[in-house]
Amino acid sequence: MSQQPGPVVLLSSGETAASGRRVLDWLLRRWSPPVRIALLETPAGFQPNSELVAEKVADFMRHRLPDHQLQVDVVPARKLGTPFSPDNPEIIAPLRQADVIYAGAGSPTYAVRHLKDTLAWYTLLARHRLGAGVVFASAATIAASARALPVYEIYKVGEDLHWAPGLDLFGAFGLSLALVGHWDNTEGGAELDTSRGFIGQARFEQLRATLPAQVKVVGIDEHTALIVDFPSRTCQVMGLGGVALCQEDEEQRYLDGQVFPITELGPFTMPDPYSGIPVDVWEQIDEAQRQDQAGALATPPAQVLALVEQRQTARARRDWSQSDVLRDQIAALGWEIRDTPNGPELTPLP
């Protein structure tokens, strides 16, 4: 495998706002149109309207990013043990050929429970190692942590302060991260501190004290993204706010446009591309790529179609000599043309 892992974009919020569009536009320029996006529904799978939530994001991408000719497939992998399971090979099929995989709003802990060690998750990891981009926003960003902040359980339900196991997207790269969105939130006004992902600074400091020493907290302001670029071994901040890197008593802050080495996140290492991913996942991706290539080969290119049109014009004026020349040119490009009562038919040559 010669590919490098694709970039990972971690959005705190604003994925369908102007700030999110700017980040997505920057990312999508890495691929030639049309760009295939698989939109993973899992983080919001517990909501009765999760399909509507996902379709709104898909429509935003299709209509607000027209330059990239996006082909957006919603992947309704909502809940384990149901027909819409993240372990259902048919449900998660679009992940196998995606250029970019997106997951967004919902519940971080729900996303972890219904993605961890599933076919969907391993397929995402494999596609990322093959060069696909990954965009996580809101709840999905928190879920990607090694130690995930259970926002709803603490902020809404009132559970004791604690960390939950995360999907650990970066663990294979030697990085142990606790990703916290809404770092600068002010919805509580003067009466309630809702910064640090709605937990508040005082309680969050108590949470930080319980983390193992090797875990680095990455706080991402609202309408802001941290872009982790594996090929260049760099990170970039893009958006209206900044990103805070916190470990023990030290904190570094980076603002829009600033770039820093990926080693600022921890002892970065590039893993064996195949490590930690089941063999059958790679086999399914290989088969999907073969089918994709076969489909591309079965579609005549524009150059061949133009020659067919010229040949039809030559035949209409009974210029059989020119018709034969054009037939040979079409064959030289790998296609056999057959004249039928319904018009010319093209078949790929062996």
Side-chain angles (χ1 to χ4, degrees), residues 291-342:
Q291 292 177 4
D292 199 26
Q293 292 167 358
L297 290 173
T299 303
Q303 183 180 2
V304 170
L305 295 177
L307 291 173
V308 170
E309 186 174 345
Q310 292 174 33
R311 184 171 177 274
Q312 286 297 96
T313 301
R315 285 173 59 81
R317 64 172 184 264
R318 296 181 178 275
D319 187 346
W320 309 119
S321 176
Q322 180 65 12
S323 173
D324 289 342
V325 169
L326 290 165
R327 177 193 291 274
D328 292 341
Q329 291 178 7
I330 292 167
L333 292 172
W335 294 84
E336 179 183 8
I337 187 167
R338 297 174 182 173
D339 298 307
T340 76
N342 296 321

Side-chain angles (χ1 to χ4, degrees), residues 136-207:
F136 279 177
S138 189
T141 291
I142 298 172
S145 305
R147 301 292 179 97
L149 182 64
V151 177
Y152 291 113
E153 290 84 345
I154 296 174
Y155 178 56
K156 294 289 188 182
V157 181
E159 291 185 5
D160 291 338
L161 298 178
H162 66 285
W163 296 94
L167 293 168
D168 200 13
L169 174 63
F170 297 94
F173 297 89
L175 306 176
S176 186
L177 306 178
L179 303 161
V180 181
H182 299 277
W183 188 253
D184 61 343
N185 182 270
T186 58
E187 288 180 21
E191 298 179 353
L192 178 65
D193 181 6
T194 51
S195 67
R196 310 304 187 257
F198 301 100
I199 300 302
Q201 187 167 353
R203 289 196 297 177
F204 189 80
E205 289 307 314
Q206 297 177 50
L207 273 167

Side-chain angles (χ1 to χ4, degrees), residues 19 31 34 39 53 94 109 112 137 147 161 163 213 226 228 236 284 292 309 312-313 322:
S19 53
W31 289 271
L39 199 157
V53 171
T109 51
V112 174
R147 301 292 179 97
L161 298 178
W163 296 94
L226 174 65
V228 183
Q236 178 178 346
Q284 291 170 15
D292 199 26
E309 186 174 345
Q312 286 297 96
T313 301
Q322 180 65 12

